[in-house]
Amino acid sequence: MTTALETVSCARTPSPVEPLPHQLLAVLGQHRMATTGQLHDLLRPDAARQTVSAPLNKLRRDNLVDYTVLPRSHRSRAWYLTGDGARLVRDFPALRGRPPYPITSATAASLKTPHTLTVLRTHLAFVTDARRRGDEHGHLDWTPEVSHPLSDGERIITDAVMHYTLIGDGQRTKLRAFVEVDRTTMSSERLAAKLIEYARLWSYEPQPAGRRRSRQPIVPGANWLRWYPVFPRVLVVLTAATRYVLDHRISDLQAMVAQHPLVGTLARQVPLGAAILDDLELQGPTGDVWVPLTGGEPRPWTQL
């Protein structure tokens, strides 16, 4: 029999599971924007769609989120944080240090939707596959728009950094990846040149500036060791063109690996692969859909 004291004590015990409205705000803070369907698939795939749309509408009435209607989509909504929402999530533990980048209007949101939603679509392919396999990869294990410094004051901004934990045979294997999502909006040559930037990041070692004393001494070694114990693999996901066009873009990526000495050195140390987004969604990222940029037969991303 439960006593009154036990009832009060249990009522005051915080739940270990974050409430859905909190999760919705965190996802929008992390990913910048998401459709109602994407939020449903990411957070409550086994529940009715109303489970997600009702709290979204409540958050909108509280002026924490807003939406833009996607063109040619039967009035599908893409949600984003308002200025008030961005200021609120800034203090969420999982998002500390993440620039808020609030979207100021539906017009501004509409300019960001194609690329932002495609990057999230790629994330969902990994989330769905992880659930099926029993691996660990959740809504906050994918961080879009991550910037890293290069030499000469330049920076590389990767479309997303992915954290993924493989579970099997009593072992937990932690994997990381830089993910580039190509919607064929840039030339194939510019896409392939992005591999040079990753090679520069891999090889970049900052040098001490003169003899000035610094409170933050430079640790010898590559700069990426500040964030990663192992350099993340580089995954390129292609979409928005015919398979003929996308296959040629993959060939151009392979040519860059073969011809550029620094990229070739990177490829001998770091797994590099490319895949077509439709294949990821149909077969899953652990299917034989990734073309190694060093050559060879398609394979899972975990075996590049």
Side-chain angles (χ1 to χ4, degrees):
M1 180 176 179
T2 303
T3 65
L5 179 59
E6 287 171 335
T7 302
V8 170
S9 298
C10 290
R12 291 180 178 177
T13 302
S15 169
V17 179
E18 292 179 335
L20 181 56
H22 187 286
Q23 291 180 332
L24 291 167
L25 290 172
V27 167
L28 294 177
Q30 182 87 338
H31 297 279
R32 313 302 189 205
M33 186 179 297
T35 66
T36 309
Q38 287 176 327
L39 291 167
H40 172 266
D41 294 345
L42 198 58
L43 297 174
R44 297 294 187 272
D46 299 323
R49 184 70 64 94
Q50 184 67 15
T51 304
V52 167
S53 59
L56 280 171
N57 287 320
K58 173 64 165 58
L59 291 170
R60 184 171 186 259
R61 290 193 295 271
D62 294 338
N63 195 37
L64 296 175
V65 305
D66 206 345
Y67 66 81
T68 184
V69 176
L70 300 177
R72 301 181 297 279
S73 66
H74 303 290
R75 298 197 60 77
S76 294
R77 297 176 176 182
W79 297 85
Y80 57 90
L81 296 176
T82 63
D84 287 346
R87 284 187 288 274
L88 177 64
V89 304
R90 184 168 60 189
D91 296 324
F92 285 10
L95 298 179
R96 283 176 188 158
R98 179 101 173 110
Y101 296 134
I103 297 172
T104 55
S105 68
T107 301
S110 66
L111 298 176
K112 295 176 177 291
T113 51
H115 187 73
T116 302
L117 297 183
T118 305
V119 172
L120 183 49
R121 181 181 157 196
T122 305
H123 174 41
L124 276 166
F126 283 91
V127 170
T128 302
D129 201 42
R131 286 183 185 135
R132 179 185 61 82
R133 293 169 45 86
D135 295 334
E136 293 180 7
H137 179 65
H139 61 281
L140 297 178
D141 292 327
W142 179 279
T143 308
E145 302 171 34
V146 179
S147 175
H148 297 89
L150 299 174
S151 58
D152 302 322
E154 299 178 76
R155 306 187 73 84
I156 177 174
I157 300 177
T158 186
D159 283 334
V161 173
M162 176 175 67
H163 297 265
Y164 192 105
T165 303
L166 286 171
I167 310 294
D169 299 326
Q171 293 185 329
R172 294 165 52 84
T173 305
K174 294 187 177 296
L175 301 175
R176 300 161 193 83
F178 293 128
V179 183
E180 287 294 322
V181 178
D182 172 51
R183 296 185 301 112
T184 63
T185 55
M186 67 174 71
S187 70
S188 185
E189 183 177 356
R190 281 187 59 199
L191 172 65
K194 196 73 183 275
L195 294 177
I196 300 175
E197 296 182 22
Y198 281 110
R200 290 176 60 200
L201 175 62
W202 173 73
S203 63
Y204 172 46
E205 294 188 21
Q207 301 300 317
R211 296 176 176 244
R212 290 183 299 174
R213 305 173 90 183
S214 171
R215 295 182 181 179
Q216 298 292 331
I218 294 177
V219 178
N223 201 44
W224 57 263
L225 286 167
R226 296 170 56 188
W227 303 284
Y228 311 106
V230 176
F231 194 85
R233 60 195 63 205
V234 180
L235 306 177
V236 182
V237 178
L238 303 102
T239 188
T242 65
R243 186 168 293 270
Y244 176 84
V245 170
L246 299 181
D247 285 344
H248 276 286
R249 291 172 84 84
I250 293 174
S251 296
D252 288 345
L253 290 167
Q254 291 178 317
M256 179 63 76
V257 172
Q259 297 170 11
H260 194 285
L262 186 58
V263 177
T265 303
L266 169 71
R268 289 191 287 273
Q269 303 292 326
V270 177
L272 311 178
I276 295 172
L277 181 53
D278 287 345
D279 294 339
L280 296 189
E281 294 176 323
L282 182 63
Q283 302 180 46
T286 50
D288 293 334
V289 298
W290 294 90
V291 178
L293 298 188
T294 51
E297 294 298 315
R299 62 198 66 179
W301 74 277
T302 54
Q303 297 176 24
L304 287 169

